[in-house]
Amino acid sequence: MAQKIVSNRVKEYEGYLDYNYRPTKEDLVCEYFIQPAKGISLEGAAQRVASESSIGTWTDIDTLSQKMFNELSPKIFFVDKKRGVIRIAYSKELFEESNVSQILSSVAGNVFGMIDVDKIKLMDIDFPESFIKHYRGPYYGVEGVRKIMGVKHRPFVGTIVKPKIGLSESSHASVAYQAWVGGCDYVKDDENLTSMSFNNFYNRVNLTLKAMSKAEKETGEKKAYLPNVTAPFKEMKKRAEHVISQGGEFVMVDVLTLGWSAVQELRNMDLNVVYHGHRAMHAAFTRDPCHGISMLVVAKFCRLIGIDQLHIGGMVGKMYEGKEEVKSVGEAIEQKVVKQNLATHRLKEEWHDLKSMIAVCSGGLHPSKVAPIIHGMGRDVIIQAGGGIHGHPRGTIAGATAMRQAVDAEMQGYTAQEYAKTHSELKEALEKWDKPIANKKVNTKTRIIKRK
Amino acid sequence: MAQKIVSNRVKEYEGYLDYNYRPTKEDLVCEYFIQPAKGISLEGAAQRVASESSIGTWTDIDTLSQKMFNELSPKIFFVDKKRGVIRIAYSKELFEESNVSQILSSVAGNVFGMIDVDKIKLMDIDFPESFIKHYRGPYYGVEGVRKIMGVKHRPFVGTIVKPKIGLSESSHASVAYQAWVGGCDYVKDDENLTSMSFNNFYNRVNLTLKAMSKAEKETGEKKAYLPNVTAPFKEMKKRAEHVISQGGEFVMVDVLTLGWSAVQELRNMDLNVVYHGHRAMHAAFTRDPCHGISMLVVAKFCRLIGIDQLHIGGMVGKMYEGKEEVKSVGEAIEQKVVKQNLATHRLKEEWHDLKSMIAVCSGGLHPSKVAPIIHGMGRDVIIQAGGGIHGHPRGTIAGATAMRQAVDAEMQGYTAQEYAKTHSELKEALEKWDKPIANKKVNTKTRIIKRK
């Protein structure tokens, strides 16, 4: 048993470059931005990244044969020195294709900590068909959600019950009711509201779903409540099942603070609910344009595992991302065949049979932000305002009415200002917020990376 | 139902500063580094962070009463303008204390994406006793693991089967066997090896545990195999249960690519195994000294939920962290009462009844790195070398022997060079690697942050 396995060792950090290689239909392709450490070339750093993310280590070893290397080593087939961009093609044998955590531990694992790179960002992953067939994608997606909601063409209007935390179960239900009768389609819990000492999850769901039924009867419109089931797996499952037992058709999950293993499992359980994904914590690793993992990658994994609707940025709100970035992610989760976009580091992607997700825009939004969002994102979008509804001078009902009026205006071809002349709620909202405060620092330019 | 809830609105972003406040025994305290956006003061940015991570939003709202604000608003009680450091005390009502995902969605959620800050890093969380009592911590911890392994005083020697991916089940078992008979205590799977087309998890575990028994008989020493069970939750559970059914006593989890919900649940299941935590992906958000979440925070959550042994850095290897940083995290997971350490942004912490975790050092290590690791970390440490064992000129057995000799040397008061005079495996290893290659770019200085 103790014999040597091979005698001719493969040299470390060599043999990964192959500019003539063309990715096969079964290869997984990653685009990375790399800023190598001082004294290391981009190609050198790229080889270290290819090695660490697959079969290699930092020194030649006795147990890696040339044959194994030839079969399994990824190929760096594209290097753009000017932009610091490289692309690596990995063969499918390097992955447990249905296991998101394993894929991330490979291509988004140790590479971020290597001393050979000063910065490195995983910009996109082009999943081949052989991977995609291992996933089921959204069960409902855009079409399914439109069918549930009975809304054919217009964007959805949603709100987050505010304050994030602090309301009792009955106050929560009351605020939700006001939002619905005012005109909201969706009401969601905030990302940090789960089951609190003063607001128990189960009671909240019961009361809020009752309030929803009342609002549905009074308005004649279908409404949706998105309770946040985020918890350790067993309790999360129990919470989701409770929502269903009470007639709920949607659950919300904090995808990243829960983590991929639990979220993937919850989707795989086929609970027959719409999964609403919040991305709390993403900017800890998506924000630096040169280091971490892009929001695009997060969003694509969500589509693979089957989140139906996902927060991808406010576009024109209180979060840092520029319009082009949000738009690019929005296209990647909605389109069937996604084109390469050099400026946003987006590779091509073909989603085959996986359904589209709906983009959720939120974060510092209010009625005057509705038009630019629809112009940027199209109609298949959920526009969510928390402060922009509950902060209306006349409160939540008027705030919800104003947001819905802003959507109606856009659908009917009016500007918000024009429509406000005959709609007092919208008028009051614009008077309070229609000044360039919240977006004064939003960078609307595409963040094309330039190397130092 | 539709009445207004309050009439006097609380102003947004005001009222969170209170320099006279002293955190109570039930408060959760966070230290953040903040680099505010242009035109915003540190105090102003701090108030936005306190608001966004708790009860606030970007505008005054109708549904937040002054009473609720007074009861629930967190207090910024410390601001160090020179270092850009602030501390916030949050009352326990803001949290579902047993739910790691909820805590992160609060204090490590949206704050990273706010346009009001250019950079923000969550440096540490001081968990009060009222939180800690909701967690069970490691079941085995340092003492339990030493008891299982029958090793009282010396550091443990471990290896990772290499190449990361590529070996069949039987080759994997063979390499593991060689490492064990050579002198390793531990053999682990690599972070990206789960269940592959050419190396099935179940077969691998069966064969490798058999090889382990053989090695135990031949060496008279207790050995440990750490199979990587990382997968969607249900399959992960099945894999862990299979390990136990085959007599395994350890499982390995990629904590961060799995995510907190699944890992917390696996620990809560009381499977009666030692949990070995790998941190793949951490540096996507821990590496920037000014943005993201610190490794210290990751490690403390691992201790809370009950990981027994955790990768915290190579200290002197191929990863970027400096010695002081790794040492500081090591102290935080091993000590019962942890002192504040300004230089590494570590708050005080008292762990009460939670057991200690063992630190795992790995990443570019080989025999000449053993002494500095023991000097820095003490004896309660698992020193893991992959390339530094399988890369030995005479292969895996000799490589494992050399690593063990390096530990023996240190325990007996010899330098590795001295001990090598009478130990050929160590001598050959030093001849290959004892030159300052792998650590030439390691910054061994404490990374004290200076604001721009």
Short mmCIF file of all heavy atoms in Angstrom, two decimals, chain B residues 165-217:
data_model
loop_
_atom_site.label_atom_id
_atom_site.label_comp_id
_atom_site.label_asym_id
_atom_site.label_seq_id
_atom_site.Cartn_x
_atom_site.Cartn_y
_atom_site.Cartn_z
N ILE B 165 -7.99 17.37 -5.72
CA ILE B 165 -8.96 16.59 -6.48
C ILE B 165 -8.18 15.82 -7.52
O ILE B 165 -7.23 16.35 -8.09
CB ILE B 165 -9.98 17.54 -7.18
CG1 ILE B 165 -10.90 18.14 -6.13
CG2 ILE B 165 -10.75 16.83 -8.26
CD1 ILE B 165 -11.97 19.04 -6.71
N GLY B 166 -8.57 14.59 -7.77
CA GLY B 166 -7.90 13.84 -8.84
C GLY B 166 -7.64 12.40 -8.47
O GLY B 166 -7.56 11.54 -9.35
N LEU B 167 -7.51 12.10 -7.18
CA LEU B 167 -7.24 10.72 -6.77
C LEU B 167 -8.54 9.93 -6.72
O LEU B 167 -9.59 10.46 -6.36
CB LEU B 167 -6.58 10.71 -5.39
CG LEU B 167 -5.23 11.42 -5.23
CD1 LEU B 167 -4.76 11.35 -3.79
CD2 LEU B 167 -4.18 10.81 -6.15
N SER B 168 -8.44 8.65 -7.03
CA SER B 168 -9.59 7.75 -6.86
C SER B 168 -9.76 7.48 -5.37
O SER B 168 -8.91 7.85 -4.55
CB SER B 168 -9.31 6.43 -7.57
OG SER B 168 -8.22 5.78 -6.92
N GLU B 169 -10.83 6.81 -5.01
CA GLU B 169 -11.08 6.49 -3.61
C GLU B 169 -9.92 5.67 -3.03
O GLU B 169 -9.47 5.93 -1.90
CB GLU B 169 -12.37 5.69 -3.43
CG GLU B 169 -13.64 6.41 -3.89
CD GLU B 169 -14.02 6.06 -5.32
OE1 GLU B 169 -13.14 5.61 -6.10
OE2 GLU B 169 -15.21 6.23 -5.67
N SER B 170 -9.44 4.69 -3.79
CA SER B 170 -8.40 3.83 -3.22
C SER B 170 -7.05 4.54 -3.16
O SER B 170 -6.30 4.37 -2.20
CB SER B 170 -8.28 2.52 -4.03
OG SER B 170 -7.97 2.81 -5.36
N SER B 171 -6.76 5.40 -4.15
CA SER B 171 -5.52 6.17 -4.07
C SER B 171 -5.58 7.15 -2.90
O SER B 171 -4.59 7.37 -2.20
CB SER B 171 -5.28 6.95 -5.36
OG SER B 171 -5.07 6.08 -6.43
N HIS B 172 -6.76 7.72 -2.69
CA HIS B 172 -6.96 8.63 -1.57
C HIS B 172 -6.66 7.90 -0.26
O HIS B 172 -5.90 8.39 0.58
CB HIS B 172 -8.40 9.14 -1.59
CG HIS B 172 -8.72 10.17 -0.55
ND1 HIS B 172 -8.79 11.51 -0.83
CD2 HIS B 172 -8.98 10.06 0.77
CE1 HIS B 172 -9.07 12.18 0.27
NE2 HIS B 172 -9.20 11.31 1.26
N ALA B 173 -7.22 6.73 -0.12
CA ALA B 173 -7.00 5.96 1.10
C ALA B 173 -5.53 5.59 1.26
O ALA B 173 -4.97 5.62 2.37
CB ALA B 173 -7.86 4.70 1.08
N SER B 174 -4.89 5.31 0.12
CA SER B 174 -3.47 4.93 0.16
C SER B 174 -2.60 6.10 0.61
O SER B 174 -1.70 5.95 1.44
CB SER B 174 -3.05 4.45 -1.23
OG SER B 174 -1.67 4.30 -1.31
N VAL B 175 -2.87 7.29 0.05
CA VAL B 175 -2.09 8.47 0.45
C VAL B 175 -2.33 8.77 1.94
O VAL B 175 -1.40 9.08 2.69
CB VAL B 175 -2.45 9.70 -0.42
CG1 VAL B 175 -1.81 10.96 0.12
CG2 VAL B 175 -2.03 9.46 -1.87
N ALA B 176 -3.58 8.65 2.37
CA ALA B 176 -3.91 8.89 3.78
C ALA B 176 -3.14 7.91 4.67
O ALA B 176 -2.54 8.30 5.68
CB ALA B 176 -5.41 8.74 4.00
N TYR B 177 -3.14 6.66 4.26
CA TYR B 177 -2.43 5.63 5.02
C TYR B 177 -0.95 5.99 5.17
O TYR B 177 -0.37 5.90 6.26
CB TYR B 177 -2.59 4.28 4.32
CG TYR B 177 -1.69 3.21 4.86
CD1 TYR B 177 -2.00 2.52 6.03
CD2 TYR B 177 -0.49 2.89 4.20
CE1 TYR B 177 -1.15 1.55 6.54
CE2 TYR B 177 0.37 1.93 4.70
CZ TYR B 177 0.04 1.26 5.87
OH TYR B 177 0.89 0.31 6.37
N GLN B 178 -0.36 6.41 4.07
CA GLN B 178 1.06 6.79 4.10
C GLN B 178 1.30 7.93 5.07
O GLN B 178 2.28 7.94 5.82
CB GLN B 178 1.53 7.18 2.70
CG GLN B 178 1.51 6.01 1.71
CD GLN B 178 1.82 6.45 0.29
OE1 GLN B 178 2.75 7.23 0.07
NE2 GLN B 178 1.06 5.97 -0.68
N ALA B 179 0.40 8.90 5.04
CA ALA B 179 0.56 10.04 5.94
C ALA B 179 0.46 9.58 7.40
O ALA B 179 1.24 10.03 8.26
CB ALA B 179 -0.51 11.09 5.64
N TRP B 180 -0.49 8.71 7.67
CA TRP B 180 -0.65 8.25 9.06
C TRP B 180 0.56 7.44 9.54
O TRP B 180 1.07 7.68 10.61
CB TRP B 180 -1.93 7.41 9.19
CG TRP B 180 -3.19 8.21 9.30
CD1 TRP B 180 -3.41 9.30 10.10
CD2 TRP B 180 -4.41 7.99 8.58
NE1 TRP B 180 -4.69 9.77 9.93
CE2 TRP B 180 -5.33 8.98 9.02
CE3 TRP B 180 -4.83 7.06 7.63
CZ2 TRP B 180 -6.64 9.05 8.53
CZ3 TRP B 180 -6.13 7.12 7.15
CH2 TRP B 180 -7.02 8.12 7.59
N VAL B 181 0.99 6.48 8.71
CA VAL B 181 2.13 5.67 9.18
C VAL B 181 3.40 6.51 9.25
O VAL B 181 4.28 6.24 10.06
CB VAL B 181 2.36 4.38 8.35
CG1 VAL B 181 1.18 3.42 8.48
CG2 VAL B 181 2.65 4.70 6.90
N GLY B 182 3.46 7.54 8.44
CA GLY B 182 4.62 8.44 8.50
C GLY B 182 4.66 9.23 9.80
O GLY B 182 5.73 9.63 10.27
N GLY B 183 3.50 9.48 10.40
CA GLY B 183 3.51 10.21 11.67
C GLY B 183 2.38 11.21 11.86
O GLY B 183 2.28 11.84 12.91
N CYS B 184 1.52 11.38 10.84
CA CYS B 184 0.42 12.33 11.00
C CYS B 184 -0.62 11.79 11.99
O CYS B 184 -0.90 10.59 12.03
CB CYS B 184 -0.28 12.58 9.66
SG CYS B 184 0.62 13.68 8.57
N ASP B 185 -1.21 12.71 12.75
CA ASP B 185 -2.37 12.37 13.58
C ASP B 185 -3.64 12.47 12.74
O ASP B 185 -4.51 11.62 12.81
CB ASP B 185 -2.49 13.36 14.75
CG ASP B 185 -1.22 13.43 15.58
OD1 ASP B 185 -0.88 12.42 16.21
OD2 ASP B 185 -0.57 14.50 15.58
N TYR B 186 -3.72 13.55 11.99
CA TYR B 186 -4.91 13.86 11.22
C TYR B 186 -4.66 13.73 9.74
O TYR B 186 -3.59 14.11 9.24
CB TYR B 186 -5.29 15.34 11.44
CG TYR B 186 -5.96 15.66 12.74
CD1 TYR B 186 -5.22 15.92 13.88
CD2 TYR B 186 -7.34 15.74 12.82
CE1 TYR B 186 -5.83 16.25 15.08
CE2 TYR B 186 -7.97 16.08 14.02
CZ TYR B 186 -7.22 16.33 15.14
OH TYR B 186 -7.83 16.65 16.31
N VAL B 187 -5.66 13.26 9.03
CA VAL B 187 -5.68 13.38 7.56
C VAL B 187 -7.03 13.95 7.18
O VAL B 187 -8.06 13.45 7.64
CB VAL B 187 -5.48 12.02 6.87
CG1 VAL B 187 -5.70 12.15 5.37
CG2 VAL B 187 -4.08 11.47 7.16
N LYS B 188 -7.02 15.00 6.38
CA LYS B 188 -8.29 15.59 5.98
C LYS B 188 -8.45 15.66 4.46
O LYS B 188 -7.46 15.68 3.72
CB LYS B 188 -8.50 16.98 6.60
CG LYS B 188 -7.59 18.06 6.08
CD LYS B 188 -7.86 19.41 6.72
CE LYS B 188 -8.85 20.24 5.95
NZ LYS B 188 -8.47 20.59 4.59
N ASP B 189 -9.70 15.70 4.05
CA ASP B 189 -10.01 15.98 2.65
C ASP B 189 -9.73 17.45 2.38
O ASP B 189 -9.73 18.27 3.30
CB ASP B 189 -11.50 15.74 2.37
CG ASP B 189 -11.90 14.28 2.47
OD1 ASP B 189 -11.01 13.41 2.56
OD2 ASP B 189 -13.12 14.02 2.46
N ASP B 190 -9.57 17.78 1.13
CA ASP B 190 -9.39 19.20 0.82
C ASP B 190 -10.76 19.88 0.77
O ASP B 190 -11.80 19.22 0.74
CB ASP B 190 -8.60 19.39 -0.47
CG ASP B 190 -7.55 20.49 -0.29
OD1 ASP B 190 -7.83 21.47 0.44
OD2 ASP B 190 -6.46 20.36 -0.85
N GLU B 191 -10.75 21.21 0.79
CA GLU B 191 -12.00 21.94 0.93
C GLU B 191 -12.91 21.77 -0.28
O GLU B 191 -14.13 21.94 -0.17
CB GLU B 191 -11.74 23.42 1.20
CG GLU B 191 -11.25 24.27 0.01
CD GLU B 191 -9.78 24.05 -0.33
OE1 GLU B 191 -9.08 23.40 0.49
OE2 GLU B 191 -9.33 24.51 -1.39
N ASN B 192 -12.34 21.45 -1.44
CA ASN B 192 -13.18 21.30 -2.64
C ASN B 192 -13.41 19.84 -3.02
O ASN B 192 -13.96 19.55 -4.08
CB ASN B 192 -12.59 22.09 -3.82
CG ASN B 192 -11.17 21.69 -4.14
OD1 ASN B 192 -10.50 21.05 -3.31
ND2 ASN B 192 -10.68 22.06 -5.30
N LEU B 193 -13.02 18.92 -2.15
CA LEU B 193 -13.27 17.49 -2.42
C LEU B 193 -14.53 17.07 -1.65
O LEU B 193 -14.52 17.06 -0.41
CB LEU B 193 -12.07 16.65 -1.97
CG LEU B 193 -12.24 15.14 -2.20
CD1 LEU B 193 -12.19 14.80 -3.69
CD2 LEU B 193 -11.18 14.35 -1.45
N THR B 194 -15.58 16.77 -2.34
CA THR B 194 -16.81 16.32 -1.68
C THR B 194 -17.16 14.94 -2.24
O THR B 194 -16.53 13.96 -1.85
CB THR B 194 -17.93 17.36 -1.84
OG1 THR B 194 -18.14 17.64 -3.23
CG2 THR B 194 -17.59 18.65 -1.10
N SER B 195 -18.11 14.87 -3.16
CA SER B 195 -18.37 13.58 -3.81
C SER B 195 -18.28 13.81 -5.31
O SER B 195 -19.10 14.53 -5.88
CB SER B 195 -19.75 13.03 -3.42
OG SER B 195 -19.82 11.66 -3.73
N MET B 196 -17.24 13.24 -5.90
CA MET B 196 -16.92 13.55 -7.29
C MET B 196 -17.20 12.34 -8.17
O MET B 196 -17.33 11.22 -7.68
CB MET B 196 -15.44 13.93 -7.42
CG MET B 196 -14.83 14.67 -6.24
SD MET B 196 -15.65 16.23 -5.82
CE MET B 196 -15.20 17.23 -7.23
N SER B 197 -17.20 12.57 -9.48
CA SER B 197 -17.48 11.46 -10.41
C SER B 197 -16.43 10.35 -10.26
O SER B 197 -16.75 9.18 -10.37
CB SER B 197 -17.52 11.97 -11.85
OG SER B 197 -16.32 12.63 -12.17
N PHE B 198 -15.19 10.71 -9.94
CA PHE B 198 -14.11 9.71 -9.86
C PHE B 198 -13.75 9.38 -8.42
O PHE B 198 -12.81 8.63 -8.15
CB PHE B 198 -12.86 10.24 -10.56
CG PHE B 198 -12.48 11.59 -10.06
CD1 PHE B 198 -11.72 11.74 -8.91
CD2 PHE B 198 -12.92 12.74 -10.71
CE1 PHE B 198 -11.41 12.99 -8.42
CE2 PHE B 198 -12.62 14.00 -10.22
CZ PHE B 198 -11.86 14.11 -9.07
N ASN B 199 -14.44 10.00 -7.47
CA ASN B 199 -14.11 9.77 -6.06
C ASN B 199 -15.37 9.98 -5.24
O ASN B 199 -15.62 11.07 -4.71
CB ASN B 199 -12.98 10.72 -5.63
CG ASN B 199 -12.46 10.41 -4.23
OD1 ASN B 199 -13.24 9.98 -3.36
ND2 ASN B 199 -11.18 10.62 -4.00
N ASN B 200 -16.14 8.92 -5.13
CA ASN B 200 -17.42 8.97 -4.44
C ASN B 200 -17.22 9.10 -2.93
O ASN B 200 -16.39 8.41 -2.34
CB ASN B 200 -18.19 7.67 -4.77
CG ASN B 200 -19.49 7.59 -4.01
OD1 ASN B 200 -19.52 7.12 -2.87
ND2 ASN B 200 -20.56 8.05 -4.63
N PHE B 201 -17.99 9.98 -2.32
CA PHE B 201 -17.82 10.24 -0.89
C PHE B 201 -17.91 8.97 -0.05
O PHE B 201 -17.07 8.71 0.81
CB PHE B 201 -18.88 11.24 -0.41
CG PHE B 201 -18.80 11.52 1.07
CD1 PHE B 201 -17.92 12.46 1.58
CD2 PHE B 201 -19.59 10.80 1.97
CE1 PHE B 201 -17.82 12.69 2.94
CE2 PHE B 201 -19.51 11.03 3.34
CZ PHE B 201 -18.62 11.97 3.82
N TYR B 202 -18.94 8.19 -0.30
CA TYR B 202 -19.21 7.02 0.55
C TYR B 202 -18.10 5.98 0.42
O TYR B 202 -17.62 5.43 1.41
CB TYR B 202 -20.59 6.45 0.23
CG TYR B 202 -21.68 7.46 0.54
CD1 TYR B 202 -22.14 8.33 -0.45
CD2 TYR B 202 -22.21 7.57 1.82
CE1 TYR B 202 -23.10 9.28 -0.17
CE2 TYR B 202 -23.17 8.53 2.11
CZ TYR B 202 -23.62 9.38 1.11
OH TYR B 202 -24.56 10.33 1.41
N ASN B 203 -17.70 5.72 -0.83
CA ASN B 203 -16.60 4.77 -1.03
C ASN B 203 -15.31 5.28 -0.41
O ASN B 203 -14.54 4.52 0.18
CB ASN B 203 -16.36 4.52 -2.53
CG ASN B 203 -17.55 3.84 -3.17
OD1 ASN B 203 -18.38 3.24 -2.47
ND2 ASN B 203 -17.65 3.93 -4.48
N ARG B 204 -15.06 6.56 -0.59
CA ARG B 204 -13.83 7.14 -0.04
C ARG B 204 -13.79 6.98 1.47
O ARG B 204 -12.77 6.58 2.05
CB ARG B 204 -13.73 8.62 -0.42
CG ARG B 204 -12.50 9.30 0.16
CD ARG B 204 -12.31 10.70 -0.40
NE ARG B 204 -13.15 11.72 0.20
CZ ARG B 204 -14.13 12.37 -0.41
NH1 ARG B 204 -14.40 12.13 -1.68
NH2 ARG B 204 -14.84 13.30 0.23
N VAL B 205 -14.90 7.31 2.13
CA VAL B 205 -14.95 7.21 3.59
C VAL B 205 -14.71 5.77 4.03
O VAL B 205 -13.90 5.50 4.93
CB VAL B 205 -16.30 7.74 4.12
CG1 VAL B 205 -16.51 7.36 5.59
CG2 VAL B 205 -16.36 9.26 3.96
N ASN B 206 -15.37 4.84 3.36
CA ASN B 206 -15.20 3.43 3.74
C ASN B 206 -13.74 2.99 3.63
O ASN B 206 -13.18 2.42 4.57
CB ASN B 206 -16.07 2.54 2.85
CG ASN B 206 -17.55 2.83 3.03
OD1 ASN B 206 -17.93 3.64 3.88
ND2 ASN B 206 -18.39 2.18 2.24
N LEU B 207 -13.15 3.27 2.48
CA LEU B 207 -11.77 2.82 2.25
C LEU B 207 -10.78 3.55 3.15
O LEU B 207 -9.83 2.95 3.66
CB LEU B 207 -11.38 3.02 0.78
CG LEU B 207 -12.13 2.13 -0.24
CD1 LEU B 207 -11.67 2.47 -1.66
CD2 LEU B 207 -11.88 0.65 0.07
N THR B 208 -11.01 4.85 3.35
CA THR B 208 -10.03 5.62 4.11
C THR B 208 -10.11 5.29 5.60
O THR B 208 -9.09 5.24 6.29
CB THR B 208 -10.22 7.13 3.84
OG1 THR B 208 -10.23 7.34 2.43
CG2 THR B 208 -9.09 7.95 4.45
N LEU B 209 -11.31 5.04 6.10
CA LEU B 209 -11.41 4.64 7.51
C LEU B 209 -10.79 3.26 7.73
O LEU B 209 -10.19 3.00 8.78
CB LEU B 209 -12.87 4.66 7.98
CG LEU B 209 -13.46 6.07 8.21
CD1 LEU B 209 -14.95 5.99 8.54
CD2 LEU B 209 -12.72 6.82 9.32
N LYS B 210 -10.90 2.38 6.73
CA LYS B 210 -10.23 1.07 6.83
C LYS B 210 -8.71 1.26 6.87
O LYS B 210 -8.01 0.63 7.67
CB LYS B 210 -10.59 0.20 5.61
CG LYS B 210 -11.74 -0.75 5.89
CD LYS B 210 -11.96 -1.68 4.71
CE LYS B 210 -13.42 -2.12 4.70
NZ LYS B 210 -13.84 -2.68 3.40
N ALA B 211 -8.22 2.13 5.97
CA ALA B 211 -6.78 2.41 5.95
C ALA B 211 -6.34 3.00 7.29
O ALA B 211 -5.23 2.74 7.77
CB ALA B 211 -6.46 3.36 4.81
N MET B 212 -7.23 3.77 7.89
CA MET B 212 -6.91 4.39 9.18
C MET B 212 -6.75 3.33 10.27
O MET B 212 -5.80 3.37 11.06
CB MET B 212 -8.02 5.39 9.56
CG MET B 212 -7.68 6.21 10.79
SD MET B 212 -9.00 7.41 11.18
CE MET B 212 -10.10 6.35 12.14
N SER B 213 -7.67 2.38 10.27
CA SER B 213 -7.58 1.30 11.27
C SER B 213 -6.27 0.55 11.12
O SER B 213 -5.61 0.21 12.11
CB SER B 213 -8.74 0.31 11.09
OG SER B 213 -9.95 0.96 11.32
N LYS B 214 -5.91 0.28 9.86
CA LYS B 214 -4.65 -0.43 9.59
C LYS B 214 -3.47 0.40 10.15
O LYS B 214 -2.60 -0.14 10.84
CB LYS B 214 -4.51 -0.60 8.08
CG LYS B 214 -3.39 -1.51 7.61
CD LYS B 214 -3.56 -1.81 6.10
CE LYS B 214 -2.52 -2.77 5.56
NZ LYS B 214 -1.18 -2.25 5.47
N ALA B 215 -3.48 1.68 9.86
CA ALA B 215 -2.40 2.55 10.34
C ALA B 215 -2.38 2.60 11.87
O ALA B 215 -1.31 2.64 12.48
CB ALA B 215 -2.55 3.95 9.75
N GLU B 216 -3.55 2.62 12.46
CA GLU B 216 -3.61 2.65 13.93
C GLU B 216 -2.98 1.39 14.52
O GLU B 216 -2.21 1.46 15.48
CB GLU B 216 -5.07 2.79 14.40
CG GLU B 216 -5.61 4.20 14.21
CD GLU B 216 -7.07 4.35 14.69
OE1 GLU B 216 -7.79 3.34 14.73
OE2 GLU B 216 -7.45 5.50 14.99
N LYS B 217 -3.31 0.25 13.91
CA LYS B 217 -2.74 -1.00 14.41
C LYS B 217 -1.23 -1.00 14.26
O LYS B 217 -0.49 -1.41 15.15
CB LYS B 217 -3.35 -2.19 13.65
CG LYS B 217 -4.67 -2.65 14.27
CD LYS B 217 -5.31 -3.77 13.47
CE LYS B 217 -6.81 -3.79 13.74
NZ LYS B 217 -7.59 -4.21 12.57
#
